Amino acid sequence: IKLQTTKRKYLNYREVTDTPNATTRIDDVSIVQSDFMVSPGFGVRMTKSKFSMFGGFNANLIHHSSTELTNTISYSTSNPSMNYVVESSTSVPGGTSWGVGGFAGFDLSLSKNFSIGIEFSSAFLHTKIGDTVIVETTVISGNYPSTPPSYYVDSISKWKFSEVNSSLNISYNF
């Protein structure tokens, strides 16, 4: 059985200056999302000296957390009454993926109990993510119209092959 957790945090900073109009807009974007996977399976291993190759099949169940996107927008002009800072937050509901997959890799034993290696895997998964997306804008400072939260439905429900994943393994065997 394999348990795996993944946390993603993407940061993006963009500054755009319009010199003729004397304006500057700064977007400071953060995207946070995480997954937790349980993957029971079976495999075979072939070993020669300190080197071993392995492969097998597994069932995958993945829980995807909601995705949180935050964009802090700073806008400035030569006219101070037009300057503002707002934060736009978008929340996309999470979901699940499940299906069957395969894996293959190799290990190099450094001692009786310790090894390092690499593993490649892919799976055929049914993924269902999303539903009601919430977008909220908060005025932090300046002259910007206040808006109520907006809602829309965006979801994915489909079968597809996952990308090929790779992992570096450091193992201690009992």
Side-chain angles (χ1 to χ4, degrees), residues 91-154:
S91 180
V92 181
T96 58
S97 295
W98 57 271
V100 295
F103 60 92
F106 63 87
D107 287 326
L108 177 64
S109 294
L110 301 176
S111 71
K112 179 181 175 188
N113 300 82
F114 187 71
S115 65
I116 60 171
I118 192 162
E119 180 180 319
F120 300 95
S121 62
S122 185
F124 187 61
L125 300 171
H126 180 267
T127 299
K128 185 172 186 199
I129 296 176
D131 194 9
T132 303
V133 177
I134 303 168
V135 181
E136 297 178 283
T137 301
T138 305
V139 178
I140 296 172
S141 67
N143 186 16
Y144 191 85
S146 183
T147 58
S150 62
Y151 306 89
Y152 63 92
V153 175
D154 188 13

Side-chain angles (χ1 to χ4, degrees), residues 56-106:
F57 296 96
N58 53 14
N60 295 292
L61 177 59
I62 305 167
H63 169 23
H64 307 282
S65 74
S66 63
T67 300
E68 305 297 329
L69 182 142
T70 305
N71 185 9
T72 304
I73 303 165
S74 303
Y75 183 80
S76 61
T77 70
S78 56
N79 180 353
S81 68
M82 299 292 291
N83 297 347
Y84 61 83
V85 176
V86 296
E87 183 174 274
S88 174
S89 299
T90 304
S91 180
V92 181
T96 58
S97 295
W98 57 271
V100 295
F103 60 92
F106 63 87

Side-chain angles (χ1 to χ4, degrees), residues 31-52:
I31 302 172
V32 177
Q33 193 265 334
S34 61
D35 296 331
F36 178 74
M37 179 175 78
V38 177
S39 184
F42 65 93
V44 295
R45 179 177 296 272
M46 295 181 295
T47 303
K48 184 168 183 171
S49 186
K50 294 185 175 202
F51 183 76
S52 63

